[in-house]
């Protein structure tokens, strides 16, 4: 098999459709086999009804053996195309009672659907799948979210609607071009970035999604410029005798880049920076970040005392010709800067999720000690946070050592609960890091940060228990979050603060290193406003409408059961049931709140011909009981959910991680 050559691809027609066209978007790549003197379109080959891929990928043409192709051409030569009336119609409608056969180009002309998945089914124009026509809420035309040309918001063959965003519409041709360029790893809804639901619907409607990397990822040196970093001193007066480009690491002539833009630099000595770790901003970024009407902070008597070196422990040196701000002013300014770059937290976490590979890592979790099992698994050298996670629960107490698959989101929910109550944190509702010698010895501060990062990126729940001080220290740095000497009037209090900071520096840095897993800490510092709510506050209470909209109804032909379900949700919201809406969600998915990235797969409901509801937490599927009366439905739902939660609470009371003994010299971090 040889690669395409211009002469061959133009002279030889496809053995199936008899066309010379070389149009990959419509017919797939055209391959020419010089040895056997024939050409074939990839899609014509895939969609032909009487041929299967019996060879390896490198054999024949894409794994289709030459002898099989010849047999299929011979079979098709006896079939007449329903459209053009010529022989060679190798594709037939998959519906058994339909006898229509056609060439691929003829089928496209007649708006047939070709599904590039499973058995590569083909549907004629009479039996093709269609999208459900919902009530048209849009009187006017809407733009195709890819090409931005206006379309009529009615599902047709050439106009498709997103299954996850009801106000997203596309031209079929636009979708096909995007799918070929993006590949299976990057083809997603243009509005919400959903992958699974979107791809499943597009495959059903005949969009070919090739199993390849995105075209922009395959370009040689496509991102080479991103690897180049600024390496020049740009301050007005460079004091280096060797020149502005001279860079000597670990010396005063090491070049440091602007922390905001990264496109300007300075020698440490040229900007009076004592250490490489000190932050530095170029002049342009300072003009953007700071207004010109700042007044100098009033001098405090402590500034001229013998304790002036203490200031360096709490706050970095002020930038040249810039008045030092108090802590409150700095926080307001940082928030003001951040407001320019507000982003939705789900979008940020979904983008971080692009790092996760399809390769799965199985975590064997002992339900008798979720915390310790998770620590052991995460500390294993074989664990890679960028691999997708599969959970298997093991029970060492059983004689046979039973194992059963578990829900990843349920495991991460349990893990966040155990982490919140671990010895690493201190406090009632808003928690700070605690200083614990045993936790330091076991490197649990690092593991705690890594667990939080993994939960957020892998679709688990958010912690929601950080104190505001802890969050500010992570987002803005301790020097911008803790009180400075200008903010403290009592020298003794200031000295106590300094003493505590010095002692807890190592655990805090370890916790930060763990949060750097999968790039989470960098995103927290880049978008603090987006992360503030999910790290410092528990999710808002659910409503009956929110929960009803969250679940997709599948296989629920019984209208009465559907009515019972909606009535039950409203009764629970009105306090007429012993359960809560959070209990229902936890029963079905293992999570009592919606994770920041949403559920994957999306929660669904189906009927169960039994007395009590059954939940499949691995699939987020809730099977409802079929009853004669609503009273019986509510009673059965309440009993099953309450019983399930009671058992979990009994387990949890025994399984919380034991609090490590805290000696008298151990203190809270902040």
């Amino acid at each position: 098999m040889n690669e395409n050559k211009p002469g061959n691809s133009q002279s030889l027609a496809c053995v199936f459709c008899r066309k010379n066209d070389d149009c990959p978007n419509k017919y797939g790549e055209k391959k020419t086999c010089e040895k056997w003197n024939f050409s074939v379109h990839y899609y014509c080959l895939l969609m032909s009804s009487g041929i299967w891929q019996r060879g390896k990928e490198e054999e024949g043409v894409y794994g289709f053996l030459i002898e099989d192709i010849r047999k299929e051409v011979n079979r098709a030569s006896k079939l007449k195309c329903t459209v053009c009336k010529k022989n060679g119609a190798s594709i037939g409608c998959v519906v058994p009672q339909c006898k229509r056969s056609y060439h691929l180009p003829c089928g496209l002309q007649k708006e047939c659907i070709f599904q590039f998945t499973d058995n590569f089914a083909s549907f004629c124009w009479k039996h093709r799948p269609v999208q459900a026509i919902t009530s048209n809420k849009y009187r006017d035309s809407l733009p195709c979210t890819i090409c931005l040309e206006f379309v009529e918001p009615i599902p047709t063959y050439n106009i498709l609607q997103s299954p996850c965003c009801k106000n997203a519409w596309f031209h079929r041709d636009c979708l096909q071009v995007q799918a070929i360029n993006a590949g299976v790893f990057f083809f997603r809804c243009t509005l919400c970035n959903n992958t699974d639901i979107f791809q499943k619907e597009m495959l059903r409607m005949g969009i070919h999604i090739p199993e390849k990397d995105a075209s922009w990822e395959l370009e040689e040196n496509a991102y080479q410029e991103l690897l180049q970093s600024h390496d020049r001193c740009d301050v007005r007066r460079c004091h280096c005798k060797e020149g502005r480009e001279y860079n000597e690491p670990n010396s005063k002539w090491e070049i440091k880049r602007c922390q905001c833009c990264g496109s300007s630099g300075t020698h440490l000595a040229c900007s009076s920076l004592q250490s490489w770790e000190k932050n530095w901003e170029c002049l342009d970024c300072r003009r953007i970040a700071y207004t010109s009407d700042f007044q100098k902070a009033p001098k405090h008597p402590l500034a001229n005392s013998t304790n002036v070196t203490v200031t360096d422990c709490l706050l970095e040196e002020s930038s040249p010709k810039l008045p030092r701000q108090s802590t409150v002013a700095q926080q307001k300014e940082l928030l003001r800067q951040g407001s320019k770059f507000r982003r939705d937290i789900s979008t940020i976490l979904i983008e971080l999720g692009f790092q996760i590979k399809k390769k799965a890592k199985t975590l064997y979790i002992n339900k008798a000690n979720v915390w310790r099992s998770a620590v052991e698994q995460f500390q294993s050298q074989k664990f890679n946070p960028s691999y997708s996670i599969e959970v298997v629960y093991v029970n060492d107490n059983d004689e046979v050592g039973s194992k059963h698959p578990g829900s990843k989101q349920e495991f991460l929910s349990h893990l966040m609960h155990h982490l919140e109550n671990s010895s690493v944190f201190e406090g009632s509702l808003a928690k700070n890091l605690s200083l614990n010698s045993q936790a330091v010895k076991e490197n649990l501060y690092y593991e705690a940060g890594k667990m939080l990062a993994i939960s957020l990126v892998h679709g688990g729940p958010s912690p929601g228990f950080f104190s505001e001080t802890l969050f500010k220290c992570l987002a803005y740095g301790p020097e911008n979050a803790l009180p400075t000497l200008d903010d403290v009037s009592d020298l003794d209090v200031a000295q106590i603060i300094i003493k505590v900071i010095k002692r807890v520096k190592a655990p805090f840095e370890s916790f930060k290193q763990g949060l750097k897993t999968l790039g989470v800490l960098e995103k927290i510092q880049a978008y603090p406003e987006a992360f503030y709510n999910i790290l410092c506050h528990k999710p808002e209470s659910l409503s009956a409408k929110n929960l009803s909209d969250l679940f997709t109804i599948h296989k629920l032909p019984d209208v009465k059961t559907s009515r019972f379900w909606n009535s039950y949700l409203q009764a629970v919201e009105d306090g007429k049931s012993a359960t809560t809406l959070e209990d229902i969600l936890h029963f079905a998915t293992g999570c009592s709140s919606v994770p920041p990235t949403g559920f994957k797969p999306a929660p669904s409901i189906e009927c169960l011909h039994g007395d009590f509801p059954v939940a499949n937490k691995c699939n987020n599927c809730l099977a409802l009981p079929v009853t004669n009366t609503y009273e019986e439905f509510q009673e059965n739902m309440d009993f099953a959910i309450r019983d399930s939660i009671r058992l979990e609470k009994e387990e949890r009371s025994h399984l919380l991680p034991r609090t490590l003994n805290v000696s008298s010299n151990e203190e809270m971090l902040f």
Side-chain angles (χ1 to χ4, degrees):
M1 189 69 206
N2 297 323
E3 294 295 329
N4 285 342
K5 294 184 179 180
N8 292 333
S9 61
Q10 294 296 329
S11 60
L12 292 176
C14 172
V15 291
F16 288 109
C17 69
R18 302 299 179 186
K19 285 187 174 291
N20 290 327
D21 302 44
D22 190 1
C23 183
N25 288 346
K26 281 188 175 182
Y27 310 133
E29 186 179 6
K30 186 180 180 183
K31 285 286 188 177
T32 298
C33 185
E34 293 183 345
K35 181 178 179 180
W36 302 100
N37 195 33
F38 73 83
S39 290
V40 61
H41 290 127
Y42 181 43
Y43 294 173
C44 292
L45 189 58
L46 284 179
M47 289 299 160
S48 293
S49 304
I51 189 171
W52 289 267
Q53 189 181 34
R54 296 194 302 124
K56 297 180 180 179
E57 191 68 25
E58 64 273 9
E59 293 184 84
V61 183
Y62 299 110
F64 293 91
L65 302 181
I66 301 299
E67 58 192 72
D68 292 343
I69 296 176
R70 286 179 167 178
K71 290 180 181 178
E72 178 63 5
V73 171
N74 183 56
R75 183 192 71 85
S77 65
K78 304 171 185 177
L79 299 175
K80 183 176 292 187
C81 175
T82 313
V83 181
C84 68
K85 309 304 180 183
K86 296 180 180 179
N87 291 339
S90 61
I91 306 173
C93 180
V94 74
V95 177
Q97 64 269 24
C98 182
K99 304 302 180 183
R100 295 184 180 90
S101 296
Y102 33 83
H103 304 98
L104 177 74
C106 296
L108 292 174
Q109 178 187 339
K110 288 289 288 184
E111 300 183 348
C112 298
I113 292 291
F114 302 96
Q115 294 180 345
F116 294 86
T117 182
D118 297 329
N119 294 324
F120 295 93
S122 168
F123 297 86
C124 72
W125 54 93
K126 292 290 185 180
H127 301 113
R128 70 187 183 208
V130 296
Q131 291 186 302
I133 300 179
T134 57
S135 57
N136 188 0
K137 300 178 182 179
Y138 311 101
R139 297 181 179 179
D140 301 324
S141 300
L142 291 176
C144 165
T145 60
I146 298 177
C147 72
L148 301 182
E149 290 186 5
F150 283 90
V151 300
E152 291 298 323
I154 300 175
T156 63
Y157 175 80
N158 291 311
I159 304 297
L160 299 178
Q161 184 183 30
S162 171
C164 41
C165 296
K166 301 305 181 184
N167 58 341
W169 298 80
F170 314 91
H171 292 107
R172 172 181 289 273
D173 292 342
C174 293
L175 274 174
Q176 186 58 78
V177 172
Q178 184 186 23
I180 290 176
N181 289 329
V184 69
F185 301 112
F186 291 92
F187 183 57
R188 51 179 56 90
C189 177
T190 54
L191 293 189
C192 70
N193 282 334
N194 180 280
T195 300
D196 290 346
I197 298 176
F198 186 76
Q199 287 192 8
K200 185 177 180 181
E201 174 66 4
M202 293 305 111
L203 286 170
R204 186 180 76 90
M205 296 307 297
I207 300 298
H208 178 223
I209 311 173
E211 293 187 7
K212 68 176 185 66
D213 210 343
S215 57
W216 56 84
E217 295 286 346
L218 300 176
E219 296 179 13
E220 186 176 359
N221 299 324
Y223 303 101
Q224 191 66 29
E225 68 277 3
L226 298 182
L227 302 177
Q228 300 174 0
S229 58
H230 190 81
D231 199 12
R232 186 178 188 275
C233 179
D234 298 299
V235 297
R236 181 176 297 179
R237 292 185 179 180
C238 177
H239 302 298
C240 181
K241 296 180 180 180
E242 302 294 332
R244 292 182 177 273
E245 285 76 21
Y246 182 72
N247 183 17
E248 183 181 348
N250 301 320
S251 75
K252 65 179 181 179
W253 302 119
E254 181 174 2
I255 290 180
K256 180 175 180 60
R257 289 180 291 277
C258 172
Q259 66 168 346
C260 297
C261 67
S263 59
S264 294
T266 178
H267 290 113
L268 298 183
C270 296
S271 294
S272 301
L273 299 176
Q274 301 296 325
S275 168
W276 190 89
E277 295 179 352
K278 298 294 183 180
N279 292 333
W280 179 79
E281 298 167 344
C282 67
L283 184 60
D284 290 337
C285 290
R286 282 186 217 145
R287 288 171 177 167
I288 296 173
Y290 300 96
T291 57
S292 59
D293 57 347
F294 280 145
Q295 296 180 351
K296 289 189 176 182
K299 291 185 178 181
H300 195 279
L302 285 176
N304 294 325
S305 69
T306 56
N307 296 302
V308 67
T309 55
V310 170
T311 311
D312 297 332
C313 301
L314 292 174
L315 187 65
E316 67 182 47
E317 294 180 359
S318 300
S319 300
K321 299 183 180 179
L322 187 68
R324 185 170 80 80
Q325 298 167 268
S326 67
T327 303
V328 175
Q330 288 171 341
Q331 292 172 8
K332 288 182 178 179
E333 187 55 37
L334 288 166
L335 286 174
R336 188 181 69 81
Q337 296 176 46
S339 65
K340 300 177 184 179
F341 307 102
R342 289 178 182 171
R343 296 190 62 194
D344 183 73
I345 184 63
S346 61
T347 303
I348 297 172
L349 294 178
I350 289 172
E351 288 178 356
L352 288 176
F354 293 163
Q355 307 170 72
I356 300 176
K357 303 176 176 61
K358 285 191 173 183
K359 184 176 181 179
K361 168 63 177 176
T362 302
L363 301 182
Y364 294 94
I365 303 300
N366 187 348
K367 267 201 168 181
N369 200 332
V370 172
W371 168 259
R372 182 51 57 186
S373 294
V375 170
E376 291 174 354
Q377 295 284 304
F378 287 169
Q379 287 182 337
S380 170
Q381 292 183 351
K382 296 182 179 179
F383 178 75
N384 188 333
S386 64
Y387 289 171
S388 59
I389 293 176
E390 293 180 354
V391 177
V392 172
Y393 287 123
V394 297
N395 192 343
D396 294 339
N397 296 328
D398 290 355
E399 294 181 0
V400 295
S402 61
K403 300 179 181 180
H404 60 277
S407 162
K408 177 184 69 174
Q409 287 173 319
E410 180 187 29
F411 159 67
L412 293 174
S413 181
H414 282 311
L415 187 59
M416 288 300 99
H417 177 79
H418 283 272
L419 184 61
E420 183 177 359
N421 294 277
S422 72
S423 59
V424 173
F425 292 97
E426 181 76 19
S428 54
L429 297 177
K431 293 182 179 289
N432 300 291
L433 285 176
S434 63
L435 177 59
N436 187 290
S437 58
Q438 186 65 26
V440 172
K441 183 178 178 180
E442 297 184 14
N443 200 26
L444 293 184
Y445 291 98
Y446 174 82
E447 295 300 330
K450 183 164 71 173
M451 289 176 184
L452 288 167
I454 288 174
S455 179
L456 291 174
V457 178
H458 282 262
S462 55
F465 56 79
F466 280 21
S467 71
E468 187 168 339
T469 301
L470 175 57
F471 173 78
K472 288 179 179 178
C473 288
L474 291 170
Y476 310 123
E479 68 277 5
N480 293 322
L482 296 176
T484 67
L485 294 183
D486 281 348
D487 301 314
V488 180
S489 58
D490 192 330
L491 176 60
D492 293 334
V493 174
Q495 290 176 334
I496 292 173
I497 293 174
I498 296 165
K499 178 182 176 182
V500 174
I501 293 173
K502 288 182 177 179
R503 295 185 58 189
V504 299
K505 181 178 179 181
F508 178 62
E509 290 300 322
S510 181
F511 182 65
K512 283 177 59 180
Q513 290 300 317
L515 268 177
K516 287 184 178 179
T517 302
L518 298 172
V520 171
L521 179 62
E522 289 80 357
K523 291 296 184 182
I524 292 176
Q525 294 172 343
Y527 306 103
E529 287 189 333
F531 281 87
Y532 176 75
N533 285 332
I534 67 169
L535 294 182
C536 296
H537 297 290
K538 297 293 185 182
E540 295 181 359
S541 300
L542 295 170
S543 67
K545 184 180 186 307
N546 290 341
L547 202 58
S548 176
D549 294 341
L550 184 64
F551 284 85
T552 302
I553 297 179
H554 292 314
K555 303 177 183 177
L556 199 62
D558 188 15
V559 178
K560 183 169 62 176
T561 301
S562 177
R563 188 172 67 251
F564 287 171
W565 163 249
N566 290 323
S567 299
Y568 179 65
L569 294 180
Q570 192 60 52
V572 172
E573 183 178 36
D574 295 340
K576 299 177 182 178
S577 169
T579 63
T580 65
L581 296 173
E582 286 73 18
D583 292 339
I584 298 173
L585 184 62
H586 181 81
F587 178 78
T589 66
C591 294
S592 56
S593 61
V594 181
T597 57
F599 285 103
K600 189 177 181 180
S604 61
I605 291 177
E606 60 183 32
C607 271
L608 173 70
H609 293 285
D611 295 331
F612 298 97
V614 175
N616 184 342
K617 295 179 181 178
C618 293
N619 296 326
N620 297 326
C621 181
L622 175 62
L624 300 177
V626 177
T627 60
N628 293 322
T629 64
Y630 171 73
E631 289 73 17
E632 184 182 1
F633 180 89
Q634 178 174 345
E635 182 180 352
N636 292 355
M637 291 288 291
D638 284 348
F639 176 81
I641 295 173
R642 286 201 314 269
D643 189 59
S644 173
I645 293 175
R646 177 183 59 81
L647 292 175
E648 284 196 16
K649 287 183 177 179
E650 290 178 358
E651 289 182 356
R652 188 174 293 172
S653 64
H654 299 292
L655 305 182
L656 284 177
R658 291 177 295 176
T659 303
L660 298 170
N661 293 327
V662 181
S663 60
S664 58
N665 66 341
E666 291 171 343
E667 308 164 23
M668 286 200 330
L669 177 55
F670 300 115

